[in-house]
Amino acid sequence: MSEIETLQKWIDESNRIVFFGGAGVSTESGVPDFRSVDGLYNQKYDYPPEEILSHTFYRRKPEEFYRFYRDKMIYTDALPNKAHLKLAELEEKGKLTAVVTQNIDGLHQAAGSKKVYELHGSVLRNYCENCGKFFDINYIIESDGVPKCDKCNGPIKPDVVLYEEGLDSNTMNGALNAISNADMLIIGGTSLNVYPAAGLIDYYRGNRLVLINMSKTPMDYKADLVIYDKIGKVLSQIEVG
């Protein structure tokens, strides 16, 4: 039996599938993984992306943070790809109970997924740090420098988890609960190097752990099935009854 046939059989036999994905899910929609093209940024910015996207940097140099953020973290033209669409279909048919994602682009919801745990937040949500008023992504794009609240003139912060910041406890607990109760866990498009997100794999109790990634990960030895390929290419071959 081929890898795809095994994957199909397991999906057919499962009813509480959880998908856990990373940057590789969105790269097929044209959203780059900034870790893989670090050199490009260093030609234009005075600091590495990991430093710019830290809480400390955001506080100390908010204008430089927003210059990078608008330029490299917002992709309003990106559309859901075959992976997003297949996952939404699996949920609609009652096979998949949740998507857990490290991505901040909102593409899972755009594809139709309802139960999505965004571990690192979303660029689509932004809030005033003074009064808490929420703003959409267009408000950030159309503003200059550090965006200010139109109600109290306070600084607006993206609802994304920066380096040095903790994950939202409600989101984390929801993801943990979904994975703990899953009868199949599909992990795709992630190197499983970023913690605490990568630690979620330890909460899966079943024997259908599938890893789909272009390259090897440190968790391959734990998987019951490993497929080295693009997540969209793999999932597009799955038929949902």
Side-chain angles (χ1 to χ4, degrees):
M1 189 178 292
S2 71
E3 294 171 337
I4 296 297
E5 288 173 333
T6 300
L7 180 62
Q8 179 74 64
K9 181 175 184 291
W10 288 1
I11 288 175
D12 290 342
E13 296 172 350
S14 302
N15 294 296
R16 296 189 311 279
I17 303 169
V18 170
F19 177 80
F20 174 48
V25 179
S26 291
T27 52
E28 292 178 55
S29 292
V31 179
D33 176 5
F34 68 83
R35 284 188 193 84
S36 63
V37 286
D38 193 6
L40 291 176
Y41 297 152
N42 284 334
Q43 295 169 21
K44 183 174 180 180
Y45 297 92
D46 296 331
Y47 309 90
E50 287 84 353
E51 183 176 349
I52 296 174
L53 296 174
S54 69
H55 181 83
T56 299
F57 192 93
Y58 170 76
R59 290 286 175 227
R60 289 178 179 170
K61 298 179 181 292
E63 290 199 1
E64 181 73 5
F65 168 87
Y66 265 108
R67 187 166 77 92
F68 178 90
Y69 183 80
R70 288 189 184 94
D71 195 23
K72 295 297 183 185
M73 304 304 290
I74 296 176
Y75 288 87
T76 53
D77 294 335
L79 297 173
N81 60 52
K82 293 176 181 177
H84 299 109
L85 296 170
K86 184 62 68 175
L87 292 168
E89 183 185 356
L90 284 166
E91 181 183 28
E92 183 186 2
K93 294 293 174 63
K95 303 290 288 181
L96 183 137
T97 57
V99 169
V100 180
T101 180
Q102 299 176 80
N103 298 332
I104 58 175
D105 48 46
L107 289 176
H108 284 292
Q109 291 92 328
S113 290
K114 302 289 190 292
K115 181 64 74 174
V116 182
Y117 294 104
E118 297 174 306
L119 297 179
H120 297 154
S122 172
V123 296
L124 303 181
R125 301 187 300 269
N126 308 272
Y127 64 93
C128 173
E129 294 194 85
N130 286 352
C131 73
K133 180 178 178 180
F134 266 79
F135 296 88
D136 65 16
I137 193 169
N138 290 323
Y139 192 89
I140 304 301
I141 294 171
E142 294 164 6
S143 60
D144 295 318
V146 180
K148 300 289 185 178
C149 176
D150 59 7
K151 180 180 177 182
C152 73
N153 204 42
I156 296 173
K157 183 182 184 295
D159 190 17
V160 298
V161 179
L162 302 175
Y163 289 102
E164 304 166 351
E165 293 180 341
L167 303 188
D168 177 75
S169 58
N170 289 333
T171 303
M172 194 68 168
N173 288 336
L176 289 175
N177 185 57
I179 290 173
S180 298
N181 289 296
D183 58 4
M184 181 175 183
L185 178 60
I186 302 173
I187 300 176
T190 173
S191 61
L192 290 172
N193 283 321
V194 179
Y195 284 83
L200 291 173
I201 191 174
D202 296 330
Y203 289 83
Y204 177 59
R205 307 274 190 266
N207 59 358
R208 287 176 172 169
L209 174 57
V210 180
L211 278 179
I212 306 168
N213 200 47
M214 291 294 291
S215 56
K216 292 183 178 181
T217 82
M219 301 294 182
D220 287 4
Y221 73 97
K222 289 188 175 185
D224 302 294
L225 176 64
V226 180
I227 301 175
Y228 298 117
D229 210 337
K230 290 183 177 180
I231 182 71
K233 179 183 175 184
V234 172
L235 291 185
S236 65
Q237 299 176 66
I238 297 300
E239 294 182 6
V240 184

